């Protein structure tokens, strides 16, 4: 019996590979930024000061932000500014997902501008060998209030019906353009009180555009206890009616908000009772996707090392090559380079979410990243320690 060829071993501790793209000066700058983010008081004070300085238009504020935290976590203020970052990631076999991170103003003009910018990201992906996905939030092109009313079974007024028809047309335009160019398109997950409306829309788009391959990919937040069931239902519908499922698996992004709204409205929280329960459900979803990879193409959007390693093992056990086009890993730009670069080095498909937009407009995103790293961290921050270890390794050369 021939022994199957196993994928190259992956070590997420290999800092030489993880930071190969950074010069010594760049690495020291990253070290200083993560060291600052390890200081909870500094992050809280600094966040408030940055927002106030931008609001007041203090000279030099935008320059300082753009060349520090913005540079770490964002690609630029426009698609054009992102191109050098896209090329740099591409040299190491890492794809880019251009993520337009500007929150809309909640009117048709704003929704249309966002649609046009998203169409531009699809066109950019079509022209580039290094942009395998585009992504959008439905609330970037549609009213959250109307989506919520639909989920609650409430009747829409004539004006709301017309607004929703225009919103669906925007989503349709994005999916049609992605299908035209063969670009995979992520539909981001959002809050539970209108997520089922988004699911129904995503399923409708998958049924229309995923006949030959997975073009439209819905997102499943596995910190919700019902999300694996939703994925399984999409798979079963696809199998019955003849479309492929695209699935991005994440843990989730709205936990505190979900708990607060559930308490206010008097219903049980949709969130799992513990982090362990979420981890278990996430890994179960990975197993399900590997077992059903004939119908499901999927992306593990995670910074969790254990889940990432598990997926490499599941792929080996199932006889899937690291470069199988149906399986992807994704992390946020500026974080978890030890996962992204080591996975890509071992031949796996990897992409980085690359937020972009005007500095002022992406501040909410940047502050979430700063607070997230602080919450994880203190001196035990994984990011901080890995950068520190690589600097020590380089000094010892």
């Amino acid at each position: 019996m021939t022994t199957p060829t196993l994928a190259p071993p992956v070590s997420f501790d290999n800092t030489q590979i993880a930071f190969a793209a950074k010069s010594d000066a760049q690495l020291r700058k990253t070290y200083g930024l993560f060291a600052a983010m390890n200081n909870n008081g500094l992050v809280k004070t600094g966040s408030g000061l940055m927002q106030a300085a931008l609001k007041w238009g203090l000279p030099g504020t935008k320059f300082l932000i753009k060349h520090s935290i913005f540079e770490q976590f964002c690609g630029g203020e426009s698609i054009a500014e992102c191109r050098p970052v896209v090329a740099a990631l591409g040299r190491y076999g890492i794809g880019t997902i251009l993520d337009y991170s500007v929150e809309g103003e909640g009117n048709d003009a704003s929704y249309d501008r966002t649609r046009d910018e998203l169409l531009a990201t699809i066109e950019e992906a079509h022209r580039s060998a290094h942009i395998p996905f585009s992504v959008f939030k439905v609330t970037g092109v549609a009213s959250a209030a109307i989506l919520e009313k639909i989920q609650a079974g409430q009747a829409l007024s004539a004006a709301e019906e017309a607004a929703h028809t225009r919103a669906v047309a925007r989503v349709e335009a994005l999916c049609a353009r992605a299908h035209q160019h063969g670009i995979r398109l992520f539909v981001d997950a959002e809050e539970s009180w209108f997520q089922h409306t988004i699911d129904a829309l995503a399923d409708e788009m998958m049924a229309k555009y995923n006949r030959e391959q997975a073009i439209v990919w819905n997102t499943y937040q596995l910190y919700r206890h019902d999300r694996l069931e939703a994925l399984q239902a999409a798979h079963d519908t696809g199998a019955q009616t003849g479309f492929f499922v695209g699935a991005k698996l994440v843990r989730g992004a709205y936990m505190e908000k979900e708990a607060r709204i559930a308490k206010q409205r008097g219903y049980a929280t949709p969130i799992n009772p513990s982090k362990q329960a979420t981890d278990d459900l996430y890994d179960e979803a990975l197993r399900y996707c590997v077992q059903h990879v004939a119908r499901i193409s999927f992306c593990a959007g995670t910074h969790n090392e254990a889940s990432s390693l598990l997926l490499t093992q599941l792929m080996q056990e199932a006889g899937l090559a690291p470069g199988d086009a149906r399986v992807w890993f994704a992390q946020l730009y500026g974080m978890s380079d030890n996962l992204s670069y080591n996975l890509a080095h071992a031949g796996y498909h990897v992409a980085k979410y690359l937020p972009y937009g005007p500095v002022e407009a992406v501040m909410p995103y940047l502050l979430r990243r700063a607070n997230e790293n602080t919450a994880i961290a203190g001196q035990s921050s994984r990011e901080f320690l890995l950068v520190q270890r690589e600097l020590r390794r380089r000094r010892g050369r």
Side-chain angles (χ1 to χ4, degrees), residues 206-225:
M206 284 196 283
K208 185 169 185 177
Y209 294 107
N210 289 13
R211 292 288 165 175
E212 297 85 23
Q213 60 177 314
I215 292 294
V216 179
W217 297 43
N218 199 11
T219 301
Y220 300 88
Q221 298 190 108
L222 276 308
Y223 69 174
R224 283 184 54 182
H225 54 71

Side-chain angles (χ1 to χ4, degrees), residues 62 66 70 74-79 81-82 99-102 117 354-363 366:
K62 181 177 175 179
K66 189 168 183 177
F70 182 92
C74 296
E77 294 193 81
S78 64
I79 291 174
E81 283 191 13
C82 290
D99 183 13
Y100 183 55
S101 296
V102 176
E117 184 67 25
L354 187 67
Y356 76 94
V359 170
E360 300 86 348
V362 300
M363 278 306 295
L366 293 175

Side-chain angles (χ1 to χ4, degrees), residues 19-99:
F19 300 112
K22 289 187 180 294
S23 67
D24 289 355
Q26 290 171 325
L27 198 60
R28 284 192 295 270
K29 188 173 182 179
T30 300
Y31 175 85
L33 185 62
F34 277 110
M37 286 191 295
N38 272 330
N39 186 319
N40 191 35
L42 184 60
V43 168
K44 288 182 178 179
T45 303
S47 297
L49 288 174
M50 281 192 295
Q51 288 177 299
L54 279 174
K55 182 179 179 180
W56 297 334
L58 294 183
T61 300
K62 181 177 175 179
F63 179 87
L64 289 173
I65 294 172
K66 189 168 183 177
H67 293 278
S68 56
I69 189 170
F70 182 92
E71 185 179 70
Q72 177 68 28
F73 296 114
C74 296
E77 294 193 81
S78 64
I79 291 174
E81 283 191 13
C82 290
R83 287 174 185 149
V85 179
V86 173
L89 290 168
R91 284 193 288 272
Y92 290 86
I94 297 173
T96 294
I97 306 163
L98 291 173
D99 183 13

Side-chain angles (χ1 to χ4, degrees), residues 269-283:
T269 177
I271 306 299
N272 285 316
S274 67
K275 182 181 183 303
Q276 187 61 54
T278 294
D279 291 343
D280 291 344
L281 191 61
Y282 189 93
D283 291 347

Side-chain angles (χ1 to χ4, degrees), residues 178-195:
H179 181 263
Q180 175 189 344
H181 292 318
I183 301 300
R184 307 169 188 87
L185 181 63
F186 285 145
V187 181
D188 266 349
E190 303 194 51
E191 289 88 344
S192 62
W193 47 94
F194 53 87
Q195 180 61 46

